[in-house]
Amino acid sequence: MENQNYHMSPEQFRTEGKKIIDWIADYYENIEKYPVLSQVKPGEIISSLPNHPPQKGESMEQMMQDIDEKIMPGITHWQSPNFFAYFPSNTSFPSILGDLVSSGLGVQGMIWATSPAATEVETRVLDWLAEMMGMPEKFKSTSSGGGVIQDTASTSALTAVIAARERATQYESNKTGVRQKLVAYISTQTHSSLEKAIKMAGIGKDNLRLIDVDETFAMLPEVLESQIQKDKKDGLQPFFICGALGTTSSNAMDPLREIGEIANKENCWFHIDAAMSGTAMVCPEFRHLMDGVELADSYCFNPHKWMFTNFDCDVFWVANRNELINTFSILPEYLKNKATESGAVFDYRDWHVQLGRRFRSLKLWFVIRHYGVEGLQFHIRKHVELTRTFTNWINESDDFELVVEPPLNLVCFRHKSGDDFNMKLMNAINETGKLFFTHTKLNDQIVLRMSIGQTNTEEEHVKAAWEMIVAKAKEFSL
């Protein structure tokens, strides 16, 4: 049989890799030429792709041609400076390069021994972040807790719920199954990932209490307290409470100190979900929003939302790492090694659901080292300032109204002409491809959302967006 080698050689990789770096740079230089929201119809992309895989390998030139002609029409451009939908999922060139190095090394960092650097860089970088954001000492690796990178805040929520379940049952649930009298508490505005976590952990949706919110859509502590006492009277066991540092729908800030005090008094695990807004804690002037954080058992935020770090990268801090390790630790024979047995290292596969793990901390390391604390603060403050500018335009308008005062970088507003008008307005603008924004429902009304946090968004983009919204609204009103 003829000796064949189908691999790409280092020299070929060098040549093609440089072309792809150029392609990415060109993409960012021309990103505003693309419609922000993909304009394709369902099935359009898949119908352009062959039904069967190629029998013989194809050239990179052919593949990149298909990227341009078949893939790019189906991309919604999250990195566009005119992307104002959902929440930021921003990235930056340092992050992309860090991720490239991670991919190139191809590390599987499940335990310390499989690549010590993958573990120790992660530990150091998350301690850096704890310092940068004014987090309590207990969340650092040098204390009782520490940080670990998860894929998303949803996985952090599941991790926290399972650890809370085990603490509440003295680790019996891991042995004999879930006791159905456990009850968890979130607000009506808390992200749906918490409900999913409660289902996946075997607690059950019927054992999840949704607590009412105030006029700013923040959880009402007195309602939480009342519900807990009712459940205890009914023979149930409260075990988990989640507070939001910025809800997805409206960026509402729960009163963390009051919730935390209730959680501590009732021996409930207190988890804080700061998915997007946590990044703002790099700026000292916003840290009043996390008053009470020292009462938390766990806390997560997403650098992949607003810290210029590409998806996926969620930081999960815990106050007592032993509670995680006791919940998730397994040690099959093939993973036994001297370093683990010494107890001198972290094996991060024992800190979360998945066993295998990428070298995600490299991209975060690149970002922090490139921008520095000052650079990150500069861009976060700029986004908040742009949000305030947009808010002022709404307040000066006769046709639009602000629904809730924005604490950071999300503006919730609406046209005064009603729900149908607002949906028609948003859809018509999004269909132009010039910008993309989304809606939510608050107080049973359709509310438009402008999330301002993309890496390259400047005042000119925000101004153009507002002018287009105003112009289209006038056009519909005629």
Side-chain angles (χ1 to χ4, degrees):
M1 185 177 176
E2 185 183 343
N3 184 23
Q4 290 181 310
N5 184 351
Y6 293 93
H7 296 309
M8 181 182 283
S9 70
E11 190 54 44
Q12 287 174 301
F13 174 73
R14 183 178 286 110
T15 300
E16 300 299 340
K18 287 175 180 175
K19 289 179 188 174
I20 288 179
I21 290 288
D22 283 342
W23 184 93
I24 294 171
D26 289 344
Y27 168 66
Y28 277 88
E29 285 181 338
N30 297 299
I31 197 167
E32 292 187 66
K33 295 178 182 176
Y34 296 97
V36 186
L37 177 65
S38 172
Q39 306 292 299
V40 302
K41 295 179 172 57
E44 194 172 324
I45 302 299
I46 198 168
S47 65
S48 73
L49 304 174
N51 288 329
H52 306 288
Q55 200 63 31
K56 293 185 181 297
E58 299 176 291
S59 69
M60 286 297 297
E61 186 179 3
Q62 287 173 297
M63 288 184 245
M64 291 309 295
Q65 184 177 336
D66 279 351
I67 291 281
D68 289 331
E69 296 175 1
K70 298 178 180 179
I71 305 303
M72 292 304 284
I75 297 295
T76 288
H77 299 279
W78 284 73
Q79 305 311 316
S80 169
N82 296 307
F83 184 99
F84 302 103
Y86 310 117
F87 42 76
S89 184
N90 62 23
T91 187
S92 62
F93 291 136
S95 177
I96 294 168
L97 293 173
D99 215 24
L100 180 61
V101 173
S102 175
S103 295
L105 291 173
V107 163
Q108 215 287 28
M110 54 189 170
I111 59 178
W112 180 90
T114 59
S115 272
T119 294
E120 296 191 15
V121 170
E122 186 163 332
T123 301
R124 178 65 76 214
V125 165
L126 299 196
D127 281 350
W128 280 359
L129 271 174
E131 178 185 316
M132 288 162 60
M133 304 173 97
M135 295 294 288
E137 283 295 316
K138 69 180 183 179
F139 288 123
K140 292 184 179 179
S141 68
T142 49
S143 184
S144 59
V148 61
I149 296 179
Q150 311 265 15
D151 50 9
T152 64
S154 302
T155 304
S156 283
L158 178 61
T159 304
V161 167
I162 294 172
R165 183 193 75 193
E166 291 312 300
R167 185 170 79 180
T169 63
Q170 287 77 54
Y171 302 95
E172 283 299 312
S173 291
N174 265 354
K175 298 175 186 175
T176 60
V178 179
R179 290 165 26 169
Q180 291 302 316
K181 67 177 187 176
L182 297 177
V183 186
Y185 305 84
I186 63 176
S187 89
T188 57
Q189 297 294 305
T190 304
H191 194 268
S192 56
S193 61
L194 270 298
E195 179 185 328
K196 186 174 182 179
I198 291 296
K199 290 178 179 177
M200 292 173 70
I203 305 302
K205 185 179 176 183
D206 288 350
N207 295 325
L208 177 64
R209 305 288 184 258
L210 305 184
I211 305 302
D212 285 338
V213 295
D214 64 16
E215 67 280 358
T216 69
F217 308 103
M219 185 189 287
L220 288 163
E222 61 271 25
V223 178
L224 170 66
E225 176 71 49
S226 175
Q227 183 63 55
I228 286 175
Q229 297 312 319
K230 179 181 182 304
D231 287 332
K232 286 169 66 178
K233 191 176 178 183
D234 292 341
L236 302 172
Q237 181 182 352
F239 85 107
F240 177 88
I241 302 171
C242 179
L245 199 165
T247 59
T248 300
S249 187
S250 67
N251 208 206
M253 301 289 169
D254 286 341
L256 301 179
R257 178 167 296 284
E258 293 170 81
I259 296 170
E261 287 170 351
I262 293 170
N264 285 195
K265 182 183 69 169
E266 300 295 342
N267 198 28
C268 289
W269 185 288
F270 181 34
H271 176 63
I272 296 176
D273 181 357
M276 177 182 71
S277 300
T279 295
M281 301 307 109
V282 172
C283 302
E285 66 267 29
F286 301 130
R287 289 181 195 158
H288 65 278
L289 297 170
M290 67 173 188
D291 177 48
V293 68
E294 71 277 6
L295 302 172
D297 294 284
S298 57
Y299 178 108
C300 77
F301 89 102
N302 292 333
H304 69 229
K305 278 198 167 74
W306 196 16
M307 198 180 270
F308 317 110
T309 305
N310 56 302
F311 190 86
D312 53 5
C313 184
D314 168 80
V315 171
F316 179 70
W317 281 301
V318 68
N320 183 350
R321 58 179 173 264
N322 288 330
E323 292 181 312
L324 278 191
I325 295 166
N326 292 341
T327 298
F328 292 101
S329 180
I330 56 163
L331 191 59
E333 187 64 35
Y334 59 83
L335 287 183
K336 290 180 179 177
N337 63 89
K338 288 182 179 178
T340 296
E341 289 166 6
S342 74
V345 300
F346 289 164
D347 286 338
Y348 275 136
R349 57 92 206 259
D350 292 335
W351 290 47
H352 49 42
V353 175
Q354 71 271 23
L355 298 178
R357 48 199 332 274
R358 297 183 65 229
F359 198 167
R360 287 193 188 97
S361 60
L362 261 187
K363 58 189 175 186
L364 198 49
W365 192 54
F366 271 47
V367 167
I368 295 171
R369 293 187 66 182
H370 171 82
Y371 286 97
V373 177
E374 288 182 0
L376 292 171
Q377 289 174 336
F378 172 84
H379 288 287
I380 292 160
R381 285 167 177 151
K382 183 171 75 173
H383 289 151
V384 174
E385 189 56 40
L386 290 175
T387 302
R388 288 172 180 158
T389 299
F390 192 91
T391 301
N392 290 337
W393 292 334
I394 292 167
N395 288 332
E396 292 165 2
S397 167
D398 294 328
D399 301 319
F400 289 88
E401 60 186 358
L402 196 65
V403 175
V404 62
E405 193 66 35
L408 293 169
N409 65 325
L410 176 69
V411 187
C412 292
F413 69 108
R414 69 194 309 269
H415 195 278
K416 295 176 182 177
S417 296
D419 287 357
D420 290 344
F421 187 95
N422 279 281
M423 288 301 295
K424 181 182 173 185
L425 175 64
M426 181 190 73
N427 289 330
I429 290 171
N430 287 343
E431 284 167 10
T432 68
K434 295 190 186 310
L435 64 109
F436 180 34
F437 67 125
T438 47
H439 77 284
T440 188
K441 226 174 187 182
L442 298 170
N443 294 330
D444 292 322
Q445 290 183 317
I446 294 294
V447 174
L448 305 178
R449 298 166 72 261
M450 281 285 290
S451 177
I452 301 171
Q454 275 312 330
T455 304
N456 298 306
T457 296
E458 301 287 347
E459 183 169 358
E460 64 189 87
H461 302 105
V462 177
K463 191 169 189 292
W466 173 244
E467 288 173 350
M468 186 171 190
I469 291 168
V470 169
K472 190 64 75 174
K474 284 182 177 171
E475 180 185 320
F476 287 159
S477 299
L478 293 175

PDB file of all heavy atoms in Angstrom, residues 333-355:
ATOM      1  N   GLU A 333      -8.887   5.077  38.324  1.00  0.00           N
ATOM      2  CA  GLU A 333      -7.493   4.636  38.404  1.00  0.00           C
ATOM      3  C   GLU A 333      -6.597   5.334  37.391  1.00  0.00           C
ATOM      4  O   GLU A 333      -5.461   5.722  37.689  1.00  0.00           O
ATOM      5  CB  GLU A 333      -7.421   3.119  38.206  1.00  0.00           C
ATOM      6  CG  GLU A 333      -6.039   2.519  38.436  1.00  0.00           C
ATOM      7  CD  GLU A 333      -5.551   2.668  39.875  1.00  0.00           C
ATOM      8  OE1 GLU A 333      -6.384   2.593  40.814  1.00  0.00           O
ATOM      9  OE2 GLU A 333      -4.337   2.877  40.071  1.00  0.00           O
ATOM     10  N   TYR A 334      -7.100   5.505  36.163  1.00  0.00           N
ATOM     11  CA  TYR A 334      -6.257   6.073  35.106  1.00  0.00           C
ATOM     12  C   TYR A 334      -5.916   7.547  35.303  1.00  0.00           C
ATOM     13  O   TYR A 334      -5.078   8.091  34.587  1.00  0.00           O
ATOM     14  CB  TYR A 334      -6.891   5.853  33.721  1.00  0.00           C
ATOM     15  CG  TYR A 334      -8.269   6.440  33.539  1.00  0.00           C
ATOM     16  CD1 TYR A 334      -8.448   7.792  33.211  1.00  0.00           C
ATOM     17  CD2 TYR A 334      -9.403   5.655  33.671  1.00  0.00           C
ATOM     18  CE1 TYR A 334      -9.706   8.335  33.040  1.00  0.00           C
ATOM     19  CE2 TYR A 334     -10.667   6.190  33.482  1.00  0.00           C
ATOM     20  CZ  TYR A 334     -10.821   7.523  33.176  1.00  0.00           C
ATOM     21  OH  TYR A 334     -12.076   8.050  33.002  1.00  0.00           O
ATOM     22  N   LEU A 335      -6.550   8.206  36.274  1.00  0.00           N
ATOM     23  CA  LEU A 335      -6.210   9.605  36.541  1.00  0.00           C
ATOM     24  C   LEU A 335      -5.408   9.785  37.830  1.00  0.00           C
ATOM     25  O   LEU A 335      -5.051  10.905  38.189  1.00  0.00           O
ATOM     26  CB  LEU A 335      -7.488  10.460  36.620  1.00  0.00           C
ATOM     27  CG  LEU A 335      -8.214  10.735  35.297  1.00  0.00           C
ATOM     28  CD1 LEU A 335      -9.416  11.643  35.536  1.00  0.00           C
ATOM     29  CD2 LEU A 335      -7.284  11.374  34.269  1.00  0.00           C
ATOM     30  N   LYS A 336      -5.128   8.689  38.517  1.00  0.00           N
ATOM     31  CA  LYS A 336      -4.368   8.812  39.763  1.00  0.00           C
ATOM     32  C   LYS A 336      -2.923   9.207  39.470  1.00  0.00           C
ATOM     33  O   LYS A 336      -2.315   8.712  38.524  1.00  0.00           O
ATOM     34  CB  LYS A 336      -4.416   7.491  40.537  1.00  0.00           C
ATOM     35  CG  LYS A 336      -5.800   7.195  41.109  1.00  0.00           C
ATOM     36  CD  LYS A 336      -5.845   5.899  41.880  1.00  0.00           C
ATOM     37  CE  LYS A 336      -7.250   5.666  42.442  1.00  0.00           C
ATOM     38  NZ  LYS A 336      -7.346   4.367  43.143  1.00  0.00           N
ATOM     39  N   ASN A 337      -2.393  10.133  40.273  1.00  0.00           N
ATOM     40  CA  ASN A 337      -1.023  10.614  40.068  1.00  0.00           C
ATOM     41  C   ASN A 337      -0.503  11.226  41.361  1.00  0.00           C
ATOM     42  O   ASN A 337      -1.275  11.560  42.263  1.00  0.00           O
ATOM     43  CB  ASN A 337      -0.984  11.640  38.924  1.00  0.00           C
ATOM     44  CG  ASN A 337      -1.797  12.880  39.242  1.00  0.00           C
ATOM     45  OD1 ASN A 337      -1.300  13.834  39.825  1.00  0.00           O
ATOM     46  ND2 ASN A 337      -3.089  12.874  38.882  1.00  0.00           N
ATOM     47  N   LYS A 338       0.791  11.404  41.437  1.00  0.00           N
ATOM     48  CA  LYS A 338       1.419  11.895  42.664  1.00  0.00           C
ATOM     49  C   LYS A 338       0.985  13.304  43.034  1.00  0.00           C
ATOM     50  O   LYS A 338       0.782  13.626  44.203  1.00  0.00           O
ATOM     51  CB  LYS A 338       2.948  11.845  42.528  1.00  0.00           C
ATOM     52  CG  LYS A 338       3.524  10.439  42.564  1.00  0.00           C
ATOM     53  CD  LYS A 338       5.050  10.477  42.480  1.00  0.00           C
ATOM     54  CE  LYS A 338       5.624   9.067  42.534  1.00  0.00           C
ATOM     55  NZ  LYS A 338       7.105   9.079  42.404  1.00  0.00           N
ATOM     56  N   ALA A 339       0.879  14.177  42.027  1.00  0.00           N
ATOM     57  CA  ALA A 339       0.524  15.575  42.306  1.00  0.00           C
ATOM     58  C   ALA A 339      -0.849  15.658  42.963  1.00  0.00           C
ATOM     59  O   ALA A 339      -1.046  16.377  43.950  1.00  0.00           O
ATOM     60  CB  ALA A 339       0.551  16.391  41.013  1.00  0.00           C
ATOM     61  N   THR A 340      -1.827  14.920  42.409  1.00  0.00           N
ATOM     62  CA  THR A 340      -3.172  14.920  42.985  1.00  0.00           C
ATOM     63  C   THR A 340      -3.155  14.349  44.398  1.00  0.00           C
ATOM     64  O   THR A 340      -3.753  14.903  45.322  1.00  0.00           O
ATOM     65  CB  THR A 340      -4.132  14.107  42.090  1.00  0.00           C
ATOM     66  OG1 THR A 340      -4.248  14.760  40.826  1.00  0.00           O
ATOM     67  CG2 THR A 340      -5.508  13.990  42.719  1.00  0.00           C
ATOM     68  N   GLU A 341      -2.459  13.251  44.557  1.00  0.00           N
ATOM     69  CA  GLU A 341      -2.411  12.595  45.865  1.00  0.00           C
ATOM     70  C   GLU A 341      -1.728  13.455  46.926  1.00  0.00           C
ATOM     71  O   GLU A 341      -2.019  13.340  48.120  1.00  0.00           O
ATOM     72  CB  GLU A 341      -1.692  11.246  45.739  1.00  0.00           C
ATOM     73  CG  GLU A 341      -2.523  10.210  44.988  1.00  0.00           C
ATOM     74  CD  GLU A 341      -1.727   8.990  44.566  1.00  0.00           C
ATOM     75  OE1 GLU A 341      -0.544   8.889  44.966  1.00  0.00           O
ATOM     76  OE2 GLU A 341      -2.268   8.154  43.813  1.00  0.00           O
ATOM     77  N   SER A 342      -0.859  14.345  46.503  1.00  0.00           N
ATOM     78  CA  SER A 342      -0.163  15.222  47.456  1.00  0.00           C
ATOM     79  C   SER A 342      -1.088  16.285  48.042  1.00  0.00           C
ATOM     80  O   SER A 342      -0.810  16.853  49.088  1.00  0.00           O
ATOM     81  CB  SER A 342       1.013  15.919  46.753  1.00  0.00           C
ATOM     82  OG  SER A 342       0.547  16.954  45.879  1.00  0.00           O
ATOM     83  N   GLY A 343      -2.190  16.591  47.319  1.00  0.00           N
ATOM     84  CA  GLY A 343      -3.110  17.629  47.775  1.00  0.00           C
ATOM     85  C   GLY A 343      -2.593  19.031  47.559  1.00  0.00           C
ATOM     86  O   GLY A 343      -3.195  20.007  48.014  1.00  0.00           O
ATOM     87  N   ALA A 344      -1.480  19.169  46.845  1.00  0.00           N
ATOM     88  CA  ALA A 344      -0.847  20.480  46.658  1.00  0.00           C
ATOM     89  C   ALA A 344      -1.320  21.199  45.406  1.00  0.00           C
ATOM     90  O   ALA A 344      -0.877  22.312  45.131  1.00  0.00           O
ATOM     91  CB  ALA A 344       0.673  20.307  46.603  1.00  0.00           C
ATOM     92  N   VAL A 345      -2.208  20.560  44.636  1.00  0.00           N
ATOM     93  CA  VAL A 345      -2.634  21.160  43.366  1.00  0.00           C
ATOM     94  C   VAL A 345      -4.153  21.187  43.267  1.00  0.00           C
ATOM     95  O   VAL A 345      -4.853  20.461  43.979  1.00  0.00           O
ATOM     96  CB  VAL A 345      -2.062  20.372  42.161  1.00  0.00           C
ATOM     97  CG1 VAL A 345      -0.540  20.370  42.201  1.00  0.00           C
ATOM     98  CG2 VAL A 345      -2.615  18.951  42.109  1.00  0.00           C
ATOM     99  N   PHE A 346      -4.654  22.041  42.355  1.00  0.00           N
ATOM    100  CA  PHE A 346      -6.069  22.043  42.014  1.00  0.00           C
ATOM    101  C   PHE A 346      -6.267  21.128  40.809  1.00  0.00           C
ATOM    102  O   PHE A 346      -5.518  21.204  39.832  1.00  0.00           O
ATOM    103  CB  PHE A 346      -6.545  23.443  41.628  1.00  0.00           C
ATOM    104  CG  PHE A 346      -6.627  24.418  42.767  1.00  0.00           C
ATOM    105  CD1 PHE A 346      -6.721  25.784  42.515  1.00  0.00           C
ATOM    106  CD2 PHE A 346      -6.617  23.996  44.086  1.00  0.00           C
ATOM    107  CE1 PHE A 346      -6.804  26.700  43.554  1.00  0.00           C
ATOM    108  CE2 PHE A 346      -6.691  24.905  45.135  1.00  0.00           C
ATOM    109  CZ  PHE A 346      -6.787  26.263  44.867  1.00  0.00           C
ATOM    110  N   ASP A 347      -7.257  20.268  40.890  1.00  0.00           N
ATOM    111  CA  ASP A 347      -7.707  19.503  39.726  1.00  0.00           C
ATOM    112  C   ASP A 347      -9.083  20.043  39.370  1.00  0.00           C
ATOM    113  O   ASP A 347     -10.094  19.661  39.976  1.00  0.00           O
ATOM    114  CB  ASP A 347      -7.779  18.006  40.047  1.00  0.00           C
ATOM    115  CG  ASP A 347      -6.397  17.358  40.126  1.00  0.00           C
ATOM    116  OD1 ASP A 347      -5.448  17.927  39.545  1.00  0.00           O
ATOM    117  OD2 ASP A 347      -6.275  16.303  40.769  1.00  0.00           O
ATOM    118  N   TYR A 348      -9.124  20.944  38.390  1.00  0.00           N
ATOM    119  CA  TYR A 348     -10.348  21.697  38.137  1.00  0.00           C
ATOM    120  C   TYR A 348     -11.506  20.845  37.636  1.00  0.00           C
ATOM    121  O   TYR A 348     -12.651  21.274  37.683  1.00  0.00           O
ATOM    122  CB  TYR A 348     -10.060  22.834  37.150  1.00  0.00           C
ATOM    123  CG  TYR A 348      -9.522  24.089  37.814  1.00  0.00           C
ATOM    124  CD1 TYR A 348      -8.443  24.781  37.265  1.00  0.00           C
ATOM    125  CD2 TYR A 348     -10.096  24.598  38.967  1.00  0.00           C
ATOM    126  CE1 TYR A 348      -7.950  25.939  37.849  1.00  0.00           C
ATOM    127  CE2 TYR A 348      -9.613  25.756  39.568  1.00  0.00           C
ATOM    128  CZ  TYR A 348      -8.540  26.425  39.004  1.00  0.00           C
ATOM    129  OH  TYR A 348      -8.070  27.571  39.594  1.00  0.00           O
ATOM    130  N   ARG A 349     -11.236  19.624  37.176  1.00  0.00           N
ATOM    131  CA  ARG A 349     -12.363  18.789  36.760  1.00  0.00           C
ATOM    132  C   ARG A 349     -13.265  18.459  37.959  1.00  0.00           C
ATOM    133  O   ARG A 349     -14.401  18.014  37.790  1.00  0.00           O
ATOM    134  CB  ARG A 349     -11.867  17.527  36.062  1.00  0.00           C
ATOM    135  CG  ARG A 349     -10.901  16.665  36.885  1.00  0.00           C
ATOM    136  CD  ARG A 349     -11.649  15.581  37.675  1.00  0.00           C
ATOM    137  NE  ARG A 349     -10.886  15.201  38.854  1.00  0.00           N
ATOM    138  CZ  ARG A 349     -10.147  14.120  38.965  1.00  0.00           C
ATOM    139  NH1 ARG A 349     -10.027  13.314  37.958  1.00  0.00           N
ATOM    140  NH2 ARG A 349      -9.544  13.846  40.099  1.00  0.00           N
ATOM    141  N   ASP A 350     -12.748  18.670  39.196  1.00  0.00           N
ATOM    142  CA  ASP A 350     -13.538  18.434  40.407  1.00  0.00           C
ATOM    143  C   ASP A 350     -14.298  19.687  40.858  1.00  0.00           C
ATOM    144  O   ASP A 350     -14.910  19.688  41.923  1.00  0.00           O
ATOM    145  CB  ASP A 350     -12.626  17.975  41.552  1.00  0.00           C
ATOM    146  CG  ASP A 350     -12.045  16.599  41.316  1.00  0.00           C
ATOM    147  OD1 ASP A 350     -12.661  15.809  40.576  1.00  0.00           O
ATOM    148  OD2 ASP A 350     -10.964  16.308  41.866  1.00  0.00           O
ATOM    149  N   TRP A 351     -14.242  20.732  40.041  1.00  0.00           N
ATOM    150  CA  TRP A 351     -14.883  21.990  40.416  1.00  0.00           C
ATOM    151  C   TRP A 351     -16.132  22.268  39.586  1.00  0.00           C
ATOM    152  O   TRP A 351     -16.751  23.310  39.735  1.00  0.00           O
ATOM    153  CB  TRP A 351     -13.911  23.161  40.228  1.00  0.00           C
ATOM    154  CG  TRP A 351     -12.758  23.217  41.187  1.00  0.00           C
ATOM    155  CD1 TRP A 351     -11.929  22.189  41.548  1.00  0.00           C
ATOM    156  CD2 TRP A 351     -12.288  24.362  41.906  1.00  0.00           C
ATOM    157  NE1 TRP A 351     -10.965  22.629  42.426  1.00  0.00           N
ATOM    158  CE2 TRP A 351     -11.155  23.968  42.661  1.00  0.00           C
ATOM    159  CE3 TRP A 351     -12.692  25.693  41.958  1.00  0.00           C
ATOM    160  CZ2 TRP A 351     -10.451  24.858  43.478  1.00  0.00           C
ATOM    161  CZ3 TRP A 351     -11.985  26.583  42.765  1.00  0.00           C
ATOM    162  CH2 TRP A 351     -10.884  26.160  43.524  1.00  0.00           C
ATOM    163  N   HIS A 352     -16.474  21.360  38.690  1.00  0.00           N
ATOM    164  CA  HIS A 352     -17.630  21.626  37.829  1.00  0.00           C
ATOM    165  C   HIS A 352     -18.135  20.343  37.181  1.00  0.00           C
ATOM    166  O   HIS A 352     -17.669  19.244  37.498  1.00  0.00           O
ATOM    167  CB  HIS A 352     -17.300  22.681  36.769  1.00  0.00           C
ATOM    168  CG  HIS A 352     -16.027  22.448  36.018  1.00  0.00           C
ATOM    169  ND1 HIS A 352     -15.628  21.213  35.562  1.00  0.00           N
ATOM    170  CD2 HIS A 352     -15.047  23.310  35.619  1.00  0.00           C
ATOM    171  CE1 HIS A 352     -14.480  21.318  34.922  1.00  0.00           C
ATOM    172  NE2 HIS A 352     -14.091  22.586  34.951  1.00  0.00           N
ATOM    173  N   VAL A 353     -19.086  20.498  36.260  1.00  0.00           N
ATOM    174  CA  VAL A 353     -19.763  19.356  35.654  1.00  0.00           C
ATOM    175  C   VAL A 353     -18.849  18.589  34.708  1.00  0.00           C
ATOM    176  O   VAL A 353     -18.729  17.363  34.796  1.00  0.00           O
ATOM    177  CB  VAL A 353     -21.037  19.813  34.902  1.00  0.00           C
ATOM    178  CG1 VAL A 353     -21.673  18.639  34.169  1.00  0.00           C
ATOM    179  CG2 VAL A 353     -22.033  20.448  35.875  1.00  0.00           C
ATOM    180  N   GLN A 354     -18.227  19.293  33.785  1.00  0.00           N
ATOM    181  CA  GLN A 354     -17.426  18.600  32.767  1.00  0.00           C
ATOM    182  C   GLN A 354     -16.085  18.124  33.340  1.00  0.00           C
ATOM    183  O   GLN A 354     -15.557  18.712  34.272  1.00  0.00           O
ATOM    184  CB  GLN A 354     -17.199  19.489  31.542  1.00  0.00           C
ATOM    185  CG  GLN A 354     -16.249  20.653  31.736  1.00  0.00           C
ATOM    186  CD  GLN A 354     -16.910  21.923  32.213  1.00  0.00           C
ATOM    187  OE1 GLN A 354     -17.982  21.884  32.801  1.00  0.00           O
ATOM    188  NE2 GLN A 354     -16.278  23.044  31.974  1.00  0.00           N
ATOM    189  N   LEU A 355     -15.570  17.059  32.753  1.00  0.00           N
ATOM    190  CA  LEU A 355     -14.254  16.554  33.149  1.00  0.00           C
ATOM    191  C   LEU A 355     -13.171  17.170  32.261  1.00  0.00           C
ATOM    192  O   LEU A 355     -12.171  17.680  32.745  1.00  0.00           O
ATOM    193  CB  LEU A 355     -14.220  15.025  33.057  1.00  0.00           C
ATOM    194  CG  LEU A 355     -15.210  14.289  33.969  1.00  0.00           C
ATOM    195  CD1 LEU A 355     -15.116  12.793  33.752  1.00  0.00           C
ATOM    196  CD2 LEU A 355     -14.949  14.633  35.429  1.00  0.00           C
TER     197      LEU A 355
END
